[in-house]
Amino acid sequence: MEGINHKMITINNINMHVAEMGEGPIVLLLHGFPELWYSWRHQILFLAAHGYHAVAPDLRGYGDTTGAPLHDHSKFTTLHVVGDLVALIDTMGVDKVFVVGHDWGAMIAWKLCLFRPDKVKALVNLSVHFAPRNPQRKVVENFRALFGDDHYICRFQEPGEIEAVFASVGTKQVLKKFLTHRDPDPFYFPKDKPFGDEHDTPIVLPSWLTEEDVDYYTKKFEQTGFTGGINYYRCFDLNWELEAPWTNAKVMVPVKFVVGELDLVYNIPHAKEYIHNGGFHKYVPLLEEVVVIEGAAHFITQEVPHKVNQHIFDFLQKF
């Protein structure tokens, strides 16, 4: 996209690709799965036009960021990825940055604020609320108990298995299935029907997602495969072990949380009660606002960019 600059930075033993634009306070944009820096294309242009320096890396294992061993999922823990971001912030010559995260990027942003609050001025997180560590039960075990073995998080655990399924479906079709998903119910990958009963149904792209957009994602994921991104899911239980020192720790930075009404994370059992009835605020005491965007689903940075942009801008202007 015209005007967006791209560079490679060697940090934390990986080569990180960064897209950036604008001058002013730095806003670090952290993408989710199966996404890239490109998921922030609307926000980069908006923030740059409104006095900010937007910085959107391809996270470890994604896109043009190279060097992490894809065959070893233990190199994709939250400690590794937060370490990448701390090193990136340091290379930019500032003490603190604004952070905006979505999906896995939101989870990493929560951990960045938990581990290194000294690096974050304020956080706008999208889609995934902060979930405190449950010392009694590992994460995957919990999802399996709630949703069964066919739940996508459970199906992602065995190295190589879901990659083979995605290869049989085709990279472009897999990306279309994910990016156009609007069902607030739990996401399942039955072994005989990897995307449910409608796994063979032709996909009509919504107005906010073009063939050109899908082609960009497809090109990058055909180069790298999906393993890098899936490794984040394979680290759920390892993260649970490593993060034991932060049990009951609170996120002590100013936060705004924005989620789509139809987001599958927002519709996990008991999530709404936790978010709106005090549980969320208990663990994120500086939570200033929760915004639910009516009619929007999971990929809100692309689906409703104008609303997301305005919510980000309104919050950052307070600091």
Side-chain angles (χ1 to χ4, degrees):
M1 298 179 70
E2 189 174 349
I4 297 177
N5 299 312
H6 297 266
K7 65 183 180 183
M8 299 296 296
I9 304 174
T10 301
I11 51 170
N12 206 18
N13 210 31
I14 65 172
N15 299 309
M16 177 172 277
H17 167 247
V18 174
E20 61 180 348
M21 187 178 187
E23 296 181 0
I26 294 171
V27 184
L28 183 60
L29 303 165
L30 307 178
H31 69 79
F33 176 87
E35 298 183 90
L36 302 162
W37 75 267
Y38 188 80
S39 305
W40 299 106
R41 58 197 179 278
H42 305 295
Q43 288 71 40
I44 292 171
L45 297 175
F46 177 88
L47 289 167
H50 287 78
Y52 291 93
H53 178 186
V55 177
D58 283 334
L59 294 180
R60 170 179 290 243
Y62 284 93
D64 292 324
T65 292
T66 62
L70 300 183
H71 63 280
D72 184 358
H73 73 267
S74 70
K75 303 301 184 186
F76 289 79
T77 69
T78 52
L79 295 179
H80 286 89
V81 186
V82 169
D84 297 342
L85 299 177
V86 170
L88 174 61
I89 293 167
D90 287 345
T91 67
M92 294 187 287
V94 294
D95 294 327
K96 292 187 175 188
V97 298
F98 292 116
V99 179
V100 184
H102 172 254
D103 186 75
W104 257 106
M107 285 191 272
I108 296 300
W110 290 124
K111 299 304 164 62
L112 172 61
C113 293
L114 203 60
F115 303 161
R116 293 297 303 272
D118 59 303
K119 292 294 183 183
V120 183
K121 293 180 184 177
L123 169 68
V124 180
N125 248 355
L126 314 173
S127 176
V128 179
H129 54 271
F130 179 77
R133 181 181 181 273
N134 177 358
Q136 304 304 320
R137 177 179 263 182
K138 292 184 178 181
V139 178
V140 177
E141 179 185 331
N142 191 51
F143 276 104
R144 189 168 275 117
L146 279 172
F147 303 116
D149 291 338
D150 283 342
H151 188 261
Y152 76 101
I153 287 175
C154 302
R155 291 277 279 121
F156 278 11
Q157 295 305 307
E158 184 63 34
E161 184 177 304
I162 204 69
E163 288 95 329
V165 172
F166 288 173
S168 70
V169 174
T171 302
K172 189 169 188 176
Q173 184 76 350
V174 168
L175 289 163
K176 283 185 175 182
K177 286 286 189 183
F178 273 112
L179 294 172
T180 61
H181 185 78
R182 290 184 58 79
D183 188 346
D185 292 333
F187 202 2
Y188 293 102
F189 276 94
K191 290 194 175 185
D192 56 336
K193 297 177 181 177
F195 282 94
D197 291 334
E198 298 183 355
H199 68 287
D200 288 331
T201 305
I203 298 169
V204 178
L205 295 181
S207 60
W208 53 268
L209 187 68
T210 68
E211 286 288 345
E212 183 183 18
D213 295 332
V214 176
D215 286 344
Y216 184 86
Y217 286 114
T218 301
K219 177 183 177 183
K220 295 303 178 182
F221 278 96
E222 283 181 343
Q223 289 173 359
T224 63
F226 289 96
T227 300
I230 294 170
N231 280 341
Y232 287 64
Y233 295 90
R234 291 177 180 148
C235 277
F236 263 131
D237 285 349
L238 179 55
N239 289 334
W240 180 85
E241 294 177 9
L242 295 173
E243 293 169 9
W246 289 275
T247 301
N248 292 323
K250 297 178 180 180
V251 174
M252 299 303 296
V253 302
V255 174
K256 181 174 185 174
F257 180 67
V258 183
V259 66
E261 176 190 21
L262 303 177
D263 195 307
L264 76 168
V265 182
Y266 183 59
N267 286 278
I268 289 174
H270 312 300
K272 292 177 184 176
E273 294 84 352
Y274 168 80
I275 290 169
H276 297 292
N277 294 344
F280 192 16
H281 194 270
K282 174 185 175 182
Y283 288 98
V284 188
L286 303 181
L287 176 68
E288 294 194 12
E289 189 177 3
V290 173
V291 176
V292 181
I293 300 180
E294 185 176 351
H298 183 69
F299 294 98
I300 53 175
T301 65
Q302 302 173 77
E303 182 185 351
V304 286
H306 299 300
K307 291 182 179 179
V308 170
N309 293 348
Q310 196 61 52
H311 283 302
I312 293 171
F313 181 73
D314 289 347
F315 190 61
L316 299 191
Q317 284 290 288
K318 296 181 178 182
F319 303 94

